[in-house]
């Protein structure tokens, strides 16, 4: 196991926080990227101590990613793990969706994967080692009523992963995508209870997932044990959708 710096976008809350915690346990120094919630970032910094640090910038902004990734490497060291986890929802049916809700979701969820990977890939290729894990969604695999923007971005992440895996394989950089199902976070908490109840009825394990269950998957994929896994789409959804 190479001790190294791991970058987790959206790394101070929800699934991302548990991923940050898991990667710290695995021996990484974690740069947890956030944009909105200062209190969560302060809590993360206190909890992580010298094993992690929060960095505030907008992953949808190319220049901010380029500048901030350079700052992370100057401050913490060479990055060998990138987890593109940051994501937002702006749910609503297409025929009522403001253009802004389309662009916001595509840029935060999908452009961010390009921006962050572009900023960190050259170093990984030069060092001939890297692990990129993109956090997509079950809804990028199967679609979801009220989520044309989110489903498009999350499906885009799957194609992005496969193409980048092909480009990176010979350089020791693996690129995989995890598709969580419905996980107990603030994001699913904002779905109306009756809608959520109807979704949980469709999950064979009869419960929502826990952020830790996604973090464990990411921990494995970022380890040296997963050296032969690249371009893979890993579903972690309690059996709700099998591909
Ligand atoms: N399939 C078919 N029809 C549906 C439907 C479905 N799944 N859901 C709703 N409808 C119908 C309703 O029956 C209703 O029809 P009528 O007008 O004929 O009665 C119509 O669509 C409007 O439904 P709503 O009353 O729900 O409309 P709304 O405007 O209040 O809400 C919505 C729309 C915000 C999209 C809401 O349906 C919703 O929240 N859906 C769930 C979206 C969702 O699953 N988001 C996941 C967030 S978590 C996440 O994204 C993490 C992850 O990766 C899994």
């Amino acid at each position: 196991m190479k001790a190294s710096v791991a970058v987790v976008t959206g790394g101070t809350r929800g699934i991302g926080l548990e991923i940050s915690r898991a990667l710290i346990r695995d021996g990484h120094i974690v740069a947890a990227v956030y944009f909105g919630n200062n209190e969560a970032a302060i809590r993360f910094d206190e909890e992580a101590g010298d094993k992690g640090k929060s960095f505030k910038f907008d992953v949808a902004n190319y220049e901010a990613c380029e500048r901030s990734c350079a700052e992370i490497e100057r401050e913490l060291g060479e990055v060998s793990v990138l987890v593109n986890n940051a994501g937002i929802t702006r749910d609503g049916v297409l025929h009522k969706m403001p253009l802004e809700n389309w662009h916001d979701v595509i840029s935060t969820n999908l452009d961010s994967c390009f921006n962050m990977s572009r900023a960190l890939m050259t170093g990984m290729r030069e060092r001939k080692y890297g692990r990129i894990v993109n956090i997509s969604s079950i809804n990028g695999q199967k679609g979801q009523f009220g989520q044309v923007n989110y489903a498009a971005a999350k499906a885009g992440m799957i194609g992005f992963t496969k193409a980048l895996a092909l480009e990176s394989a010979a350089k020791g950089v693996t690129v995989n995508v995890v598709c969580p199902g419905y996980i107990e976070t603030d994001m699913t908490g904002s779905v109306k209870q009756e809608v959520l109840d109807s979704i949980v009825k469709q999950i064979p394990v009869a419960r929502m997932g826990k952020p830790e269950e996604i973090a464990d998957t990411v921990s494995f994929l970022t380890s040296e044990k997963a050296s032969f896994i690249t371009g893979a789409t890993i579903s972690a959804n309690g059996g709700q959708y099998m591909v």
Side-chain angles (χ1 to χ4, degrees):
M1 165 78 227
K2 285 184 171 59
S4 73
V5 177
V7 176
V8 182
T9 68
T12 62
R13 293 196 305 131
I15 292 174
L17 173 61
E18 289 308 325
I19 294 171
S20 297
R21 286 174 170 156
L23 295 184
I24 287 173
R25 281 196 298 277
D26 290 343
H28 297 286
I29 304 293
V30 170
V33 180
Y34 75 104
F35 194 46
N37 191 317
N38 291 322
E39 293 75 33
I42 292 166
R43 279 197 301 277
F44 174 78
D45 287 333
E46 283 170 4
E47 176 183 321
D50 60 359
K51 304 289 183 213
K53 185 175 175 198
S54 61
F55 288 81
K56 183 173 189 170
F57 62 93
D58 181 3
V59 291
N61 180 318
Y62 180 82
E63 284 77 24
C65 292
E66 194 178 38
R67 197 172 48 245
S68 304
C69 286
E71 184 192 332
I72 289 168
E73 292 208 302
R74 265 197 313 276
E75 213 174 303
L76 302 183
E78 291 168 343
V79 173
S80 68
V81 175
L82 167 63
V83 183
N84 286 310
N85 164 76
I88 58 170
T89 53
R90 296 284 183 269
D91 290 354
V93 290
L94 174 135
H95 59 274
K96 294 185 201 159
M97 185 177 288
L99 178 62
E100 188 188 0
N101 288 6
W102 169 260
H103 284 307
D104 285 353
V105 168
I106 298 294
S107 59
T108 300
N109 299 14
L110 182 58
D111 290 359
S112 59
C113 295
F114 174 80
N115 297 341
M116 293 299 291
S117 304
R118 183 69 184 81
L120 294 169
M121 180 55 87
T122 303
M124 291 183 186
R125 288 174 67 90
E126 280 169 7
R127 295 187 291 276
K128 297 196 168 41
Y129 183 87
R131 294 279 185 267
I132 297 180
V133 179
N134 299 315
I135 307 300
S136 174
S137 165
I138 184 175
N139 292 344
Q141 297 173 294
K142 72 167 187 58
Q144 169 63 35
F145 187 99
Q147 285 200 310
V148 290
N149 48 3
Y150 187 85
K154 294 298 188 179
M157 290 173 77
I158 297 173
F160 175 93
T161 299
K162 292 177 180 177
L164 191 57
L166 287 173
E167 293 181 9
S168 315
K171 295 290 180 185
V173 181
T174 66
V175 190
N176 292 292
V177 57
V178 176
C179 294
Y182 282 72
I183 308 297
E184 288 168 2
T185 60
D186 292 347
M187 188 182 272
T188 50
S190 68
V191 177
K192 273 191 289 188
Q193 193 57 47
E194 72 248 37
V195 175
L196 209 52
D197 290 345
S198 75
I199 290 169
V200 173
K201 284 196 188 114
Q202 299 159 26
I203 305 176
V205 303
R207 63 169 176 86
M208 286 177 48
K210 297 187 186 314
E212 292 84 344
E213 292 173 309
I214 304 306
D216 287 342
T217 309
V218 174
S219 167
F220 174 67
L221 289 172
T222 53
S223 73
E224 291 200 4
K225 287 180 184 166
S227 308
F228 204 53
I229 302 176
T230 195
T233 305
I234 309 290
S235 298
N237 62 31
Q240 188 185 347
Y241 188 69
M242 301 180 191
V243 276

